[in-house]
Amino acid sequence: MQNVEEQHATDERLARLMKNDTVTGSEALLRSLLLEGVECVFGIPGGSIINVYDAIHDMPEFTHILARHEQGAIHAADGYARATGKVGVCFATSGPGATNLVTGIATANMDSVPLVVITGNVSTALIGTDAFQEADITGITMPISKHSYLVRDAKDLPKIIREAFYIASTGRKGPVLIDIPKDVSSQTTTFRYPADKSEIRGYRPDVDPNAGQIEKLLRAIEKAERPVILAGAGVIYADAAQELLAFAEKTRIPVTTTLLGLGGFPSAHELWMGMPGMHGTYTANKALQSCDLLIGIGARFDDRVTMKTSGFAPNATAIAHIDIDPAEIGKIVQTAIPILGDVKTVLRQANLQAQAAKSEAWLTLIQANKIEHPLRYADSDTALKPQFVVDMISETTNGEAIVTTDVGQHQMWAAQFYKFKRPRSIITSGGLGTMGFGLPSAIGAQAGSPDRLVVSFNGDGGIQMCAQELAICALHNLPVKIVILNNQVLGMIRQWQELIYDGRFSHMELSGSPDFVKLAEAYGVRGLRATNKEEARSAWKQAMDLPGPVLIDFVVNQEENVYPMVTPGSTIDDMILGDEE
């Protein structure tokens, strides 16, 4: 009976939202967002978008979280999108509000994250006059967005919203910007919500692969003796983790997953080799350099993976590349077997006929390398090591948490030592490397996944770039566990200056940083501190037992470096393994 009542209530709600009555542009916007299934919007009001916020006042079913900075709002929307697979949405006003979103738009664009970014603008008559708080945000963001709209008439808003969500969430996903002048948001119109969103002239994502190319790949696999799969975020975005697992097991091919692809293949599986590239595992990097067939799946061969491209995968007689974006195939590495299409569709078709490669001797070598050259660090009974902290958190959460990170050494340690079990478990700025991303993205992830544990790893540098969003954690009692690996320096800068710039340390010390426990408590978040292993275990247990948000300041060894490391300009053969090796 309850299900019938719930369905009746849903039908009534949809009928109310779809009603062809007279509304303002702002009301048309909010109705359209609700009809697109938007659960939560992150934003900050301002003069040019205040009409929209006025309309929210009369729409109690519309959920909005007030951020403390526009960068916090868009990173939260980004974290929501990555954690849920849905489109993230944020609001900002014109001028500085809109330009504060630029870094977040670029972050989402580089990592193929579906966002709809809605900005207010000055009234249509004032556009181009250098009016107060005017900025050409569509022009500014053209190189870093998938598409953008400048709305000229309120009647077009439902259609534009429908199209924007379709564009953001199909093909290679990405951010779409909608800029709404203030007079358009107050203009009245008859609300008409379009039934179809897939007919957009000039936009036809090609998702169906060429069967002949799949056959070519399968024949190459059957002949290969040293094949490798390089899997990226495209596997996760296509919800193709199960298809990848079946493909690897059928073909008996070892798998390495990029930073953004972590969780797309289970870390405990015998075929998984770890992460490749600059801070990749010995096993993954050596396999890439020795393979005779390399299969890129939903990965764009980023320079942090390939390093010096002229020396990348030198023994591969063929490289195959499966990707939804034709612009990526052949862009970085020469591709012998290009397969354009949706990763899930490609793998499903391939799995129908896939046979094992001649890889058993190869897999024996891979396993030997994993045993002889695991990720390791010089542990200490006196100094608290950051790797110990990540390993402890991984073990106590059983690899099941959603992990967000900021950018730097802690990001790499989280990638190396947290054992991700499933997709959409790591949320990190990969392509742009945006400091300040870790905390607000955790807020979005927790808002979108209230039943999952969210752990945010941060450095003491990056946390200060969006620390004001602690207020949101406290206000909404979001149970995010905020980890700071506090080494009192910009750690990756210090590491590069030590290893590449002959110890010429310059402007990397973070003296003057706040007491993070007191900072957390000032915002109403519980703060804890640990300086050794015993304190670390105790503080983490306490954090896990507390129901709301908790910040834990882990004071770690300042001189610790991330290993392995490949320096820029080197091939991934040239790994610095560290003293422990």
Side-chain angles (χ1 to χ4, degrees):
M1 188 65 178
Q2 186 178 3
N3 289 336
V4 173
E5 291 175 354
E6 287 177 355
Q7 185 60 50
H8 182 67
T10 299
D11 291 343
E12 280 191 342
R13 177 176 178 271
L14 287 174
R16 187 176 72 254
L17 291 174
M18 293 283 287
K19 187 178 179 182
N20 297 147
D21 51 359
T22 301
V23 297
T24 65
S26 297
E27 292 168 324
L29 167 66
L30 300 181
R31 277 198 194 184
S32 299
L33 291 175
L34 289 172
L35 287 167
E36 285 295 327
V38 172
E39 299 168 322
C40 180
V41 171
F42 307 86
I44 300 180
S48 292
I49 201 170
I50 200 166
N51 291 334
V52 174
Y53 279 84
D54 181 64
I56 292 175
H57 185 273
D58 294 326
M59 197 171 286
E61 67 264 51
F62 192 88
T63 302
H64 177 278
I65 291 180
L66 178 65
R68 296 303 186 261
H69 191 284
E70 288 86 1
Q71 187 170 349
I74 192 166
H75 289 335
D78 185 312
Y80 172 92
R82 297 194 204 213
T84 64
K86 301 173 183 176
V87 177
V89 183
C90 66
F91 287 170
T93 194
S94 63
T99 57
N100 279 343
L101 297 174
V102 169
T103 297
I105 294 171
T107 300
N109 191 61
M110 287 283 277
D111 290 349
S112 306
V113 178
L115 296 184
V116 170
V117 180
I118 297 166
T119 54
N121 206 337
V122 299
S123 293
T124 306
L126 294 176
I127 291 176
T129 68
D130 293 331
F132 177 66
Q133 289 194 332
E134 182 192 359
D136 178 12
I137 194 61
T138 55
I140 290 168
T141 60
M142 190 172 292
I144 55 169
S145 57
K146 188 174 179 182
H147 192 59
S148 59
Y149 296 88
L150 175 59
V151 187
R152 297 287 187 174
D153 196 313
K155 70 177 173 55
D156 298 328
L157 267 166
K159 181 175 183 291
I160 287 172
I161 292 294
R162 198 96 164 110
E163 288 182 0
F165 274 75
Y166 179 65
I167 292 170
S169 61
T170 56
R172 180 174 181 173
K173 298 172 174 63
V176 176
L177 175 79
I178 302 173
D179 196 33
I180 307 173
K182 190 172 183 179
D183 57 319
V184 174
S185 65
S186 63
Q187 183 184 17
T188 57
T189 185
T190 300
F191 184 80
R192 289 187 174 87
Y193 194 66
D196 189 17
K197 60 184 174 183
S198 61
E199 293 300 319
I200 302 173
R201 187 167 60 185
Y203 182 69
R204 297 287 187 277
D206 193 352
V207 298
D208 294 321
N210 182 292
Q213 291 300 97
I214 294 176
E215 179 68 21
K216 189 175 180 180
L217 172 62
L218 295 179
R219 299 293 78 79
I221 289 171
E222 289 176 10
K223 297 175 183 177
E225 296 180 359
R226 302 183 311 279
V228 166
I229 292 170
L230 171 65
V235 171
I236 295 170
Y237 297 159
D239 294 322
Q242 289 303 313
E243 286 76 10
L244 173 61
L245 177 61
F247 182 70
E249 290 180 340
K250 280 175 176 284
T251 57
R252 299 295 292 158
I253 299 178
V255 178
T256 177
T257 45
T258 67
L259 173 64
L260 294 181
L262 292 170
F265 195 83
S267 59
H269 199 285
E270 62 170 355
L271 292 175
W272 189 65
M273 299 183 290
M275 183 177 71
M278 176 177 275
H279 295 292
T281 65
Y282 177 95
T283 303
N285 283 348
K286 286 299 182 183
L288 285 170
Q289 294 302 85
S290 302
C291 68
D292 60 3
L293 173 65
L294 175 57
I295 307 169
I297 305 178
R300 61 186 180 87
F301 293 99
D302 174 75
D303 59 285
R304 284 293 194 265
V305 169
T306 65
M307 301 308 292
K308 186 178 180 180
T309 52
S310 61
F312 177 69
N315 295 295
T317 56
I319 295 178
H321 192 178
I322 303 168
D323 207 285
I324 192 70
D325 184 359
E328 289 297 339
I329 297 178
K331 185 175 84 173
I332 305 298
V333 298
Q334 188 172 356
T335 305
I337 309 173
I339 303 178
L340 177 64
D342 172 70
V343 166
K344 192 182 190 80
T345 303
V346 172
L347 292 178
R348 277 183 171 177
Q349 292 187 20
N351 283 336
L352 295 175
Q353 302 180 55
Q355 300 294 323
K358 300 175 181 178
S359 59
E360 289 311 311
W362 175 237
L363 292 176
T364 299
L365 175 61
I366 296 292
Q367 292 304 319
N369 281 341
K370 287 169 69 173
I371 293 168
E372 293 172 19
H373 300 280
L375 289 169
R376 52 165 66 100
Y377 62 97
D379 203 1
S380 171
D381 290 327
T382 54
L384 182 59
K385 293 297 185 83
Q387 302 96 323
F388 169 82
V389 174
V390 177
D391 199 34
M392 174 190 70
I393 293 173
S394 178
E395 184 177 347
T396 55
T397 60
N398 199 29
E400 293 285 354
I402 294 176
V403 169
T404 79
T405 84
D406 215 275
V407 172
Q409 285 183 313
H410 72 274
Q411 178 189 32
M412 294 297 101
W413 285 317
Q416 290 178 336
F417 289 95
Y418 196 93
K419 301 299 185 284
F420 297 94
K421 287 191 171 181
R422 52 174 162 157
R424 301 196 181 280
S425 293
I426 184 167
I427 296 172
T428 189
S429 174
L432 200 64
T434 304
M435 291 181 71
F437 179 82
L439 174 59
S441 66
I443 290 170
Q446 190 73 82
S449 305
D451 297 328
R452 289 191 66 185
L453 172 66
V454 177
V455 180
S456 180
F457 285 98
N458 302 266
D460 48 317
I463 190 70
Q464 296 185 66
M465 295 189 177
C466 281
Q468 72 282 342
E469 305 305 328
L470 284 167
I472 310 308
C473 296
L475 185 64
H476 295 275
N477 198 33
L478 295 173
V480 179
K481 309 309 175 186
I482 304 155
V483 172
I484 300 177
L485 297 180
N486 182 356
N487 59 5
Q488 303 90 52
V489 293
L490 293 168
M492 195 59 85
I493 299 299
R494 195 210 64 80
Q495 177 167 337
W496 279 44
Q497 289 176 347
E498 176 192 337
L499 299 179
I500 304 173
Y501 293 88
D502 300 323
R504 292 163 56 84
F505 298 115
S506 176
H507 297 279
M508 50 75 186
E509 292 184 4
L510 289 174
S511 55
S513 293
D515 180 323
F516 292 109
V517 172
K518 289 182 179 178
L519 180 67
E521 290 172 347
Y523 278 106
V525 172
R526 181 66 182 275
L528 304 169
R529 179 174 290 114
T531 60
N532 57 48
K533 285 183 175 180
E534 183 180 351
E535 291 176 354
R537 292 189 185 98
S538 175
W540 180 245
K541 183 180 185 306
Q542 192 175 351
M544 289 286 283
D545 290 341
L546 290 167
V550 183
L551 181 150
I552 315 100
D553 181 21
F554 292 99
V555 181
V556 298
N557 187 32
Q558 186 175 110
E559 287 75 33
E560 198 70 17
N561 288 331
V562 182
Y563 293 117
M565 179 182 180
V566 181
T567 58
S570 303
T571 69
I572 55 175
D573 273 322
D574 302 321
M575 287 175 283
I576 303 171
L577 298 177
D579 295 338
E580 59 275 16
E581 281 278 355

